[in-house]
Amino acid sequence: LIGAGSGLSSAAGLTYSGARFTDNFGEFIEKYGMTDMYSAGFYPFPSEEERWGYWSKHAYMNRIAPPALPLYQTLFELVKHKDYFVLTTNVDHQFQKAGFLEERIFPTQGDYGLIQCAKGCHQKTYDAVTMFREMNQARRDCKIPSGMVPRCPVCKGPMAMNLRCDQYFVEDEQWQERAAAYGRYLEGCVKQKTLLLELGVGFNTPVIIRFPFEKMMRENKAFRLIRLNMGEAFVPESFGERAVGIDEDLQKSVADMENLYEREV
């Protein structure tokens, strides 16, 4: 069972600050004084044209343009022949791009490629990848043309990214199916030898992966935990030798796992 947080994508190269931000968001930095992609997501844009001008760029840079990154590809090679499942708070679609099966991934926090009614007036999401590509081409002075601003097909109100940021987050039919698949997977793990591989999960949203993984460890003596995290890799002492925390760069840790696996094979 893989539990993946933002630290995994950062280690893979999808950083939200530094040169990757300044090299690609110059016009937004100049106009709005933005400092990084994370905080930019909370910027109070004065118009829908400007809001979608930013989000189309953000989605393009973090979900649409990047290919399957090597770190994710290595992870897939390690588990592709095993009975795996992925629980992730990441919304960048990297697991799918690397080859992980859709039905074995539960992206709990949404997807940068989907939009929804901003007020969640109905429980449906819409594929916005093509729309974001077009917006990215049409944007001028950080704005998209007014005619490209998406409107809810039901209530005619504004649309929003399908991201869990408020009480209006839409858990559509596919989200419900993945949640059910995750539940069935956990039922199958009970009393079996199961490895919890936690990657880049800190304390931003620990109630989704980190704390539940620790609860599973307490309740199932056949479970083992590997926690890979720069700076926050500590594990409860009560787990004894069943758990290990590795405070190391994820790229190096996963490469070490790959080398060990190849030697054993």
Side-chain angles (χ1 to χ4, degrees), residues 187-208:
E187 290 175 0
C189 290
V190 175
K191 296 182 180 180
Q192 293 193 57
K193 190 176 181 181
T194 300
L195 173 63
L196 307 180
L197 180 58
E198 188 185 290
L199 307 168
V201 179
F203 286 94
N204 188 20
T205 53
V207 296
I208 297 175

Side-chain angles (χ1 to χ4, degrees), residues 81-126:
H81 296 305
K82 301 183 183 299
D83 182 17
Y84 70 83
F85 198 94
V86 176
L87 174 67
T88 182
T89 55
N90 295 341
V91 293
D92 48 35
H93 220 63
Q94 274 295 313
F95 281 106
Q96 292 90 332
K97 289 182 178 182
F100 289 80
L101 297 177
E102 287 271 2
E103 61 268 24
R104 289 176 173 261
I105 309 169
F106 181 24
T108 64
Q109 304 296 75
D111 187 324
Y112 278 150
L114 300 175
I115 60 173
Q116 62 168 76
C117 172
K119 295 300 181 181
C121 79
H122 62 296
Q123 295 298 297
K124 184 177 179 180
T125 61
Y126 299 86

Side-chain angles (χ1 to χ4, degrees), residues 10 19 29 31 33 49 52 75 102 110 139 151 162 164 210 219 223-224 227 233 246 262:
S10 294
I29 295 170
K31 186 170 184 178
E49 289 83 357
W52 288 109
L75 280 174
E102 287 271 2
R139 184 180 54 255
R151 310 298 295 183
N162 179 231
R164 191 185 296 279
R210 192 178 183 110
E219 296 175 348
F223 281 23
R224 302 291 184 268
R227 174 170 284 163
I246 301 176
E262 289 177 347

Side-chain angles (χ1 to χ4, degrees), residues 9 14 20 58-77 84 86 88 91-102 105 111-113 129 133 178:
S9 283
L14 295 181
R20 187 168 181 268
H58 185 110
Y60 184 80
M61 288 298 303
N62 295 298
R63 162 70 162 80
I64 299 170
L69 299 172
L71 180 54
Y72 278 88
Q73 292 176 316
T74 300
L75 280 174
F76 181 61
E77 290 300 314
Y84 70 83
V86 176
T88 182
V91 293
D92 48 35
H93 220 63
Q94 274 295 313
F95 281 106
Q96 292 90 332
K97 289 182 178 182
F100 289 80
L101 297 177
E102 287 271 2
I105 309 169
D111 187 324
Y112 278 150
V129 171
R133 290 183 186 275
R178 300 291 178 79

Side-chain angles (χ1 to χ4, degrees), residues 147-254:
M148 298 185 76
V149 173
R151 310 298 295 183
C152 175
V154 177
C155 72
K156 310 307 177 185
M159 300 287 276
M161 299 292 289
N162 179 231
L163 302 174
R164 191 185 296 279
C165 58
D166 56 32
Q167 69 271 32
Y168 302 116
F169 176 69
V170 169
E171 298 174 354
D172 64 6
E173 183 177 354
Q174 186 179 66
W175 191 98
Q176 297 291 347
E177 290 173 353
R178 300 291 178 79
Y182 178 52
R184 290 192 297 271
Y185 181 84
L186 290 182
E187 290 175 0
C189 290
V190 175
K191 296 182 180 180
Q192 293 193 57
K193 190 176 181 181
T194 300
L195 173 63
L196 307 180
L197 180 58
E198 188 185 290
L199 307 168
V201 179
F203 286 94
N204 188 20
T205 53
V207 296
I208 297 175
I209 299 172
R210 192 178 183 110
F211 293 168
F213 273 24
E214 291 181 359
K215 183 174 184 289
M216 292 179 208
M217 285 290 291
R218 288 190 290 270
E219 296 175 348
N220 300 274
K221 299 304 181 184
F223 281 23
R224 302 291 184 268
L225 170 66
I226 296 177
R227 174 170 284 163
L228 307 182
N229 196 312
M230 282 282 283
E232 297 175 334
F234 51 87
V235 297
E237 186 176 349
S238 60
F239 295 164
E241 295 183 353
R242 293 193 298 126
V244 61
I246 301 176
D247 188 349
E248 180 62 84
D249 177 76
L250 264 168
Q251 291 272 14
K252 182 180 185 306
S253 295
V254 173

